[in-house]
């Protein structure tokens, strides 16, 4: 017998699943396999996940209104939530039903005005020697509006959009009726030693989202009503529609103000140079009031998100998940920030001796 045969040691093979070595390797392979499946599911189920996140944001807004109303009316939570929902429905009915015909006519007229203004800008650029033609600018605008995202193509029709909105609203109502029930259900799936940390993170996320959405609603109201009244006072065409669009676009930080500003200026200059300059001044005044008063007092105190971070998240989520990702980019970034901060606090509590140096100025 040779030395190699005398000192040969048999090692476990793939069929020996009871071996600690094989079990460890199977665990590692299972982690990577599960990660690949999770990434695939996120890609496939992107639209339903966005609807669920949207429902959570709506439920947070309903919960915030219910809590705020509880400071005034000492009635049960169910009645307060009903009052909040009825108030929201009444506002939507007033906005879209009572003024629907006039707004529809104004929307069609605005489209014609914007296209005419874009063609005028293209002609002016040609006179300056710029090679871009009016048709190029129109095609670029059409391409930008049509490339909001591939994932939302399935809900691009009116029926799909209405169905998704109704599903999101119903889910948000169920969550807002008894949010602690679903919070305890998620915690039940976690180990017992992790549940206290989960409850703390969930409470902080809810607190942050409520203040973020409250600040967003205040900003939407200030921008929408202020734009409408100031444009109406200055005789700018379609002041009511511009006010509604400005208020709706105010839900999108950074991007929304740019879109509404372009519309206000284009429509303003359709009535003449003086009207256009007045519309530009109105846009600047409203944005300064919202940016330097509303946001610092309400939203920034709750989240303190850097503008570049929010804009980058909007671009990324808009490209990945379409218009829903664009709307939910700010709340998602706020929740991620809260989770990372709470995780950092938990790590410091476990290892108080570890000190992270601050970067040099």
């Amino acid at each position: 017998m040779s030395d190699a045969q005398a000192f040969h040691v048999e090692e476990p093979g793939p069929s020996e699943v009871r071996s600690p070595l094989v079990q460890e390797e199977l665990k590692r392979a299972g982690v990577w396999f599960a990660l690949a499946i999770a990434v695939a599911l996120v890609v496939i189920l992107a639209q339903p996940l966005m609807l669920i996140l949207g429902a959570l944001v709506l439920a947070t807004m309903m919960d915030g209104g219910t809590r705020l109303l509880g400071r005034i009316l000492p009635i049960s939570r169910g009645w307060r939530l009903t009052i909040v929902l009825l108030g929201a429905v009444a506002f939507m009915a007033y906005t879209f039903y009572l003024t629907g015909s006039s707004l529809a006519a104004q929307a069609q007229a605005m489209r014609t005005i914007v296209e005419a203004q874009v063609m005028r800008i293209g002609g002016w650029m040609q006179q300056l020697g710029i090679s871009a033609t009016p048709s190029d600018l129109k095609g670029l605008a059409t391409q930008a509006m049509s490339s909001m995202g591939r994932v939302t193509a399935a809900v691009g029709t009116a029926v799909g959009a209405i169905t998704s909105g109704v599903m999101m609203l119903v889910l948000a109502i169920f969550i807002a009726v008894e949010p602690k029930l679903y919070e305890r259900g998620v915690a039940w799936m976690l180990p017992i030693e992790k549940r206290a940390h989960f409850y703390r993170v969930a409470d902080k996320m809810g607190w942050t989202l409520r203040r973020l959405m409250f600040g967003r609603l205040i900003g939407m109201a200030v921008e929408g009503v202020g734009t409408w009244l100031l444009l109406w006072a200055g005789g700018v065409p379609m002041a009511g529609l511009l006010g509604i669009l400005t208020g709706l676009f105010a839900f999108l930080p950074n991007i929304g103000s740019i879109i509404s500003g372009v519309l206000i200026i284009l429509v303003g200059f359709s009535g003449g140079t003086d009207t256009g300059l007045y519309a530009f001044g109105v846009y600047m005044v409203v944005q300064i009031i919202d940016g330097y008063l509303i946001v610092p007092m309400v939203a920034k105190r709750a989240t303190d998100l850097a503008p570049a971070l929010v804009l980058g998240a909007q671009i990324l989520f808009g490209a990945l998940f379409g218009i829903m990702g664009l709307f939910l980019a700010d709340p998602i970034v706020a929740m991620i920030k809260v989770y990372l901060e709470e995780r950092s606090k938990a790590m410091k509590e476990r290892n108080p001796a570890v000190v992270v140096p601050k970067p040099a100025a």
Side-chain angles (χ1 to χ4, degrees):
M1 181 180 296
S2 63
D3 294 339
Q5 293 176 344
F7 292 100
H8 175 70
V9 178
E10 292 289 343
E11 296 182 355
S15 61
E16 193 68 32
V17 294
R18 293 174 296 179
S19 170
L21 178 61
V22 175
Q23 290 181 0
E24 184 66 23
E25 293 299 326
L26 286 176
K27 288 180 182 179
R28 293 180 180 179
V31 170
W32 288 105
F33 187 67
L35 182 61
I37 293 178
V39 172
L41 288 177
V42 168
V43 174
I44 297 173
L45 303 176
Q47 186 62 38
L49 290 175
M50 287 295 105
L51 291 179
I52 294 173
L53 288 175
L56 290 175
V57 173
L58 286 178
T60 302
M61 297 170 68
M62 297 176 188
D63 182 62
T66 304
R67 290 169 181 259
L68 188 62
L69 197 60
R71 300 181 179 181
I72 305 173
L73 298 178
I75 55 179
S76 63
R77 177 183 172 83
W79 286 110
R80 285 184 277 124
L81 180 61
T82 303
I83 294 175
V84 171
L85 292 176
L86 290 177
V89 171
F91 172 76
M92 298 291 289
Y94 174 79
T95 302
F96 292 102
Y97 289 97
L98 298 182
T99 61
S101 57
S102 60
L103 289 180
Q106 289 184 13
Q108 183 62 33
M110 177 181 289
R111 180 178 178 180
T112 304
I113 290 175
V114 170
E115 290 181 355
Q117 293 294 88
V118 169
M119 297 293 287
R120 289 179 58 186
I121 293 174
W124 175 69
M125 292 176 64
Q126 278 188 326
Q127 294 179 359
L128 296 178
I130 302 175
S131 59
T133 63
S135 59
D136 293 336
L137 294 176
K138 186 177 179 180
L140 181 62
T142 304
Q143 182 180 1
M145 293 300 295
S146 63
S147 62
M148 294 299 292
R150 305 174 189 173
V151 182
T152 53
V155 293
T157 62
V159 176
I162 294 174
T163 303
S164 301
V166 171
M167 291 174 59
M168 189 188 307
L169 180 61
V170 171
L171 182 59
I173 293 174
F174 280 129
I175 296 174
V177 168
E178 197 171 358
K180 292 297 181 181
L181 175 65
Y182 302 97
E183 184 178 336
R184 291 193 299 267
V186 176
W188 177 77
M189 295 184 291
L190 300 174
I192 295 179
E193 63 272 11
K194 300 289 185 180
R195 294 180 186 178
H197 177 67
F198 168 77
Y199 285 129
R200 185 172 64 183
V201 173
D203 291 341
K204 185 63 179 297
M205 283 184 176
W207 181 88
T208 302
L209 282 181
R210 284 194 299 270
R211 279 150 182 79
L212 178 65
M213 292 299 104
F214 177 72
R216 194 65 48 80
L217 291 177
I218 295 297
M220 291 171 66
V222 170
E223 291 193 30
V225 176
T227 301
W228 166 52
L229 293 177
L230 292 175
L231 292 180
W232 174 75
V236 179
M238 292 168 284
L241 180 60
L242 288 173
I244 292 176
L245 291 178
T246 301
L248 293 176
F249 282 128
F251 190 84
L252 295 173
N254 304 320
I255 295 179
S257 61
I258 296 174
I259 297 175
S260 61
V262 169
L263 292 177
I264 290 173
I265 293 172
L266 289 178
V267 174
F269 276 101
S270 68
T273 304
D274 294 338
T275 306
L277 293 176
Y278 176 81
F280 177 75
V282 168
Y283 168 73
M284 294 299 297
V285 168
V286 171
Q287 293 302 318
I288 289 174
I289 293 176
D290 180 66
Y292 288 93
L293 294 179
I294 305 301
V295 173
M297 285 192 303
V298 183
K300 193 173 182 180
R301 288 187 180 181
T303 56
D304 195 20
L305 295 176
L309 176 62
V310 176
L311 181 59
Q314 289 175 345
I315 296 173
L316 178 61
F317 283 99
L320 291 176
F321 306 113
I323 190 67
M324 285 294 295
L326 190 64
F327 274 95
L328 298 176
D330 200 18
I332 291 175
V333 172
M335 288 189 290
I336 293 175
K337 182 175 182 290
V338 169
Y339 170 75
L340 294 177
E341 288 178 347
E342 293 300 320
R343 186 165 180 259
S344 176
K345 291 180 182 178
M347 293 178 64
K348 289 182 179 179
E349 291 175 359
R350 290 195 300 264
N351 303 300
V354 177
V355 179
V356 179
K358 294 182 179 181

